[in-house]
Amino acid sequence: MNPEPHLHQQFDQEQEPWVDLMFLGGLGEIGLNSMAFETHSHLVVVDAGIMFPEDYMLGIDMVIPDFSYLRERRDKIAALILTHGHEDHIGAVPFLLKELNLPVYGTPLTLALLREKLKEHHLLEQSELHLIDPRRQLVVGPFVFNFIPVTHSIVDGVGFALTTPVGTFIHSGDFKIDATPTAGEVTDLNSFADYGNKGVLALLSDSTNAERPGYTLSERDIGCTLENLIREAPGRVIVAVFSSHIPRLQQIIAIAAKQGRKVLFHGRSMVTNVGLARQLGFLQMPPEQEMTTAQLKSLPDHEIIIVTTGSQGEAMSALARIALDAHKQIRIRSGDLVILSSKFIPGNEKAISTVINNLYRLGAEVVYHEVADIHVSGHASQEELKLLLQLTKPRYLIPIHGELRHLVKHARLGQALGMIDAQLLLATNGDRFRFEAQGVQRLSRIEVGRIFVDGKGVGDVGNIVLRDRQHLAADGLFLALVAVDATSRKLISGPDLISKGFVFEEEQSDMLDAAREIILEIISRALAEPTQDWLEIQIQIGKALRKYFFKLLERRPMILPLILTL
């Protein structure tokens, strides 16, 4: 590794040139991948991904990065670079383009997948999309990009070398080193090594599998397992897989042809992505091997493979509906084999288990990664990460893409190869590094965060709303309605009590009668006073009911007292 660098403690604002690197998302979490490179005149964004909601994010459809920093520098933004077409890298692009009109650069499949998203958001006509060619440079102001093909679980992915006035940055993209991929190109190690020989300022490297020793298996390694399962299946085979996993789909097609089975692609995203991949030449399949839904009744079961979405137990996916016996065209029957050909994403375990149990209840046999080797990762393991470090010989290592434990483990791999602490830049979302010819320093953090998307609302649901939803989900709602004549100081109606998710009214009539007495006592005292602050009276009722319910039941429902004054 290079000798110890000089880490600046002070920065002369008059000194030129410099490049700032900022992280908008993707550090300390899985998803939301987005970062930016900035000089005094230009800013380039790399990726704009989403994160799927965590368990506590009730009702949220997806999470996108906070683009406030970019919004404030809209005049400097020159380009958005996309490394590949997975949701955690392109899912937030439509939301970014709604605010900022900037040119987008990506490989053919990445842009094809993005176009489908832009159509849904009615943005395609106004979007400026440009194809990346790994054989040609892309010059954006002071930035010169050279793209490097990499192997991943989606084809057409790239890393890049970014030449700047202060040095060369290498971004690995999401990658692994697979000498025998079933589709797409191999990771171009020669290009990474060439840049290492010329001199690399910083390596930004995928950390997703930094905990995993050894090498990641080749996609071909699961072929034998899949083929054995399909060959021995007495009836139909249903394979659930990510619709973007073109290499896995290519393997399934090849196995189906070998076993004399036709393939039905099912699910909107599956049909769309398969069509795009075939159109671009990434997926090879004879037309006669594909079947339609109408042929399900006419073909023998042992000649059918159904490839569908829903490997993560998504509630509205085709597989989830099949498992609930609520699908109009596909019904599970005895002899069916269902293969979940993916790893369980953390947070989805309960939903996937529910789908598996429902499939067994309907008579299917189910195989998933915990009982058979039917999935390999698309990310590099420790030995591959160390090899990339040795090839690029960077002055600094910046682990990216992963939770904190992944980033720390990746930094330790750098230590094992002789890098010192000053060369290992562990970052979090919001960190900003300034690189100059002499070294690097951390500047003040930028504004970052998570923006929740709920239906058509973007950012209108915050932590307070989520907290209320959690409260309602955990403890229920108790509503108390009272109408009073403030002038004559009389109770007109009520208290009317409504319980939702708290108690069943008919079974707790005594408790509710006692709650009415508490409310009536407070209202009576208030009506006896010459003036009343009815908002304060509502607060008093809420406090009294909370105290009563907790003492009686040790429950804390959300209590909403409403006093209508006439």
Side-chain angles (χ1 to χ4, degrees):
M1 291 298 169
N2 290 341
E4 178 177 351
H6 175 61
L7 185 66
H8 279 308
Q9 300 301 319
Q10 301 294 326
F11 177 71
D12 180 3
Q13 294 293 335
E14 299 298 320
Q15 189 174 356
E16 290 283 358
W18 53 264
V19 173
D20 283 357
L21 169 61
M22 294 141 294
F23 297 94
L24 307 177
L27 301 184
E29 59 198 0
I30 301 298
L32 285 182
N33 297 299
S34 189
M35 66 180 68
F37 293 89
E38 182 179 9
T39 67
H40 70 283
S41 59
H42 289 73
L43 186 151
V44 173
V45 185
V46 178
D47 290 331
I50 66 167
M51 182 173 72
F52 292 107
E54 298 177 10
D55 288 344
Y56 74 92
M57 300 176 185
L58 301 177
I60 300 302
D61 297 319
M62 69 181 74
V63 185
I64 64 174
D66 184 347
F67 294 121
S68 297
Y69 185 84
L70 302 181
R71 210 176 292 124
E72 295 165 1
R73 287 157 178 78
R74 63 176 66 237
D75 295 336
K76 291 179 67 174
I77 303 177
L80 169 61
I81 308 296
L82 302 177
T83 58
H84 65 282
H86 276 153
E87 289 287 315
D88 59 336
H89 291 260
I90 70 169
V93 174
F95 300 96
L96 179 59
L97 294 185
K98 285 178 182 178
E99 298 189 63
L100 305 172
N101 186 17
L102 63 152
V104 181
Y105 295 83
T107 57
L109 181 61
T110 301
L111 291 188
L113 295 171
L114 177 61
R115 284 190 185 95
E116 295 302 314
K117 295 184 174 300
L118 296 177
K119 284 180 187 176
E120 293 177 10
H121 289 263
H122 308 290
L123 292 171
L124 185 56
E125 302 264 333
Q126 66 196 63
S127 298
E128 184 182 341
L129 307 181
H130 302 274
L131 281 175
I132 283 174
D133 184 347
R135 292 173 294 277
R136 299 183 62 182
Q137 288 184 339
L138 171 63
V139 180
V140 182
F143 299 119
V144 180
F145 288 88
N146 286 277
F147 297 97
I148 304 173
V150 294
T151 304
H152 187 40
S153 54
I154 187 173
V155 296
D156 226 11
V158 292
F160 59 77
L162 173 58
T163 304
T164 75
V166 298
T168 299
F169 296 83
I170 297 289
H171 188 301
S172 71
D174 279 7
F175 83 104
K176 70 176 182 177
I177 299 172
D178 187 345
T180 58
T182 59
E185 298 190 55
V186 298
T187 296
D188 187 355
L189 297 178
N190 289 331
S191 290
F192 284 117
D194 285 344
Y195 283 103
N197 292 331
K198 295 173 186 175
V200 172
L201 175 60
L203 169 65
L204 292 84
S205 185
D206 176 16
S207 306
T208 308
N209 269 356
E211 293 179 305
R212 185 175 297 178
Y215 296 86
T216 301
L217 293 175
S218 169
E219 180 65 28
R220 290 189 186 275
D221 290 337
I222 68 164
C224 290
T225 304
L226 283 173
E227 184 169 351
N228 289 337
L229 288 169
I230 292 171
R231 182 179 59 248
E232 295 171 7
R236 300 180 305 179
V237 176
I238 301 173
V239 184
V241 64
F242 288 121
S243 61
S244 61
H245 203 325
I246 306 304
R248 186 72 46 80
L249 297 177
Q250 188 66 76
Q251 284 216 101
I252 294 168
I253 290 169
I255 294 169
K258 192 173 179 180
Q259 300 297 327
R261 292 178 181 257
K262 290 185 179 292
V263 179
L264 170 66
F265 295 108
H266 191 72
R268 187 167 68 95
S269 64
M270 180 66 69
V271 172
T272 298
N273 290 358
V274 166
L276 293 173
R278 292 171 76 174
Q279 180 182 340
L280 293 170
F282 292 113
L283 195 63
Q284 310 299 324
M285 180 180 183
E288 62 273 12
Q289 195 183 351
E290 185 174 3
M291 61 177 291
T292 64
T293 310
Q295 293 177 281
L296 284 174
K297 295 180 179 179
S298 58
L299 284 174
D301 286 356
H302 66 275
E303 293 183 11
I304 296 172
I305 291 183
I306 301 170
V307 182
T308 186
T309 55
S311 62
Q312 297 303 306
E314 301 95 322
M316 298 306 294
S317 67
L319 185 64
R321 287 182 284 122
I322 291 170
L324 289 171
D325 203 23
H327 197 285
K328 294 180 180 179
Q329 298 146 319
I330 303 172
R331 310 293 289 271
I332 291 293
R333 49 180 176 258
S334 180
D336 285 348
L337 171 66
V338 180
I339 302 173
L340 303 184
S341 188
S342 66
K343 183 181 178 182
F344 295 2
I345 295 176
N348 294 343
E349 295 90 349
K350 179 61 178 175
I352 298 170
S353 295
T354 299
V355 167
I356 291 172
N357 288 328
N358 288 338
L359 289 168
Y360 270 114
R361 191 172 293 111
L362 294 173
E365 181 66 30
V366 188
V367 177
Y368 42 99
H369 82 279
E370 292 182 350
V371 298
D373 294 327
I374 53 172
H375 177 70
V376 294
S377 175
H379 298 272
S381 297
Q382 289 181 357
E383 294 305 314
E384 296 153 274
L385 296 176
K386 289 194 286 187
L387 177 58
L388 187 63
L389 266 168
Q390 291 170 321
L391 291 176
T392 55
K393 298 175 283 207
R395 190 175 183 182
Y396 301 103
L397 168 64
I398 307 176
I400 58 173
H401 301 172
E403 297 180 6
L404 179 60
R405 68 180 192 274
H406 304 131
L407 307 181
V408 171
K409 288 283 189 180
H410 198 166
R412 289 177 182 170
L413 295 179
Q415 287 179 324
L417 294 177
M419 300 185 80
I420 63 172
D421 288 346
Q423 293 178 278
L424 305 170
L425 305 182
L426 270 177
T428 59
N429 294 334
D431 278 349
R432 175 170 57 167
F433 295 101
R434 174 156 290 181
F435 291 87
E436 4 166 27
Q438 297 91 340
V440 62
Q441 67 166 325
R442 290 179 192 257
L443 299 184
S444 58
R445 290 171 54 80
I446 67 170
E447 181 182 348
V448 295
R450 295 175 172 182
I451 303 298
F452 301 124
V453 179
D454 184 358
K456 292 184 178 180
V458 180
D460 57 341
V461 175
N463 289 326
I464 294 176
V465 174
L466 282 183
R467 189 174 64 221
D468 286 345
R469 290 182 179 182
Q470 292 163 21
H471 192 175
L472 288 168
D475 302 298
L477 171 69
F478 188 81
L479 191 64
L481 300 174
V482 178
V484 298
D485 187 330
T487 304
S488 62
R489 299 180 192 174
K490 290 182 180 179
L491 176 68
I492 297 175
S493 68
D496 294 325
L497 306 181
I498 301 172
S499 169
K500 295 295 182 184
F502 170 48
V503 294
F504 186 49
E505 290 96 328
E506 294 181 10
E507 295 180 359
Q508 296 287 348
S509 58
D510 292 343
M511 183 194 73
L512 296 181
D513 288 341
R516 285 190 181 90
E517 290 301 322
I518 292 173
I519 298 169
L520 285 172
E521 182 179 348
I522 295 173
I523 292 293
S524 296
R525 287 201 306 265
L527 291 173
E529 297 294 328
T531 60
Q532 299 87 19
D533 182 346
W534 293 109
L535 179 59
E536 176 61 30
I537 302 305
Q538 287 183 166
I539 294 173
Q540 290 179 25
I541 291 173
K543 288 180 178 179
L545 290 177
R546 271 190 290 275
K547 183 178 179 180
Y548 172 67
F549 290 143
F550 185 77
K551 182 178 180 180
L552 187 67
L553 300 173
E554 292 192 1
R555 297 181 192 172
R556 294 185 175 90
M558 179 177 285
I559 297 174
L560 294 179
L562 296 176
I563 300 176
L564 305 178
T565 57
L566 304 177

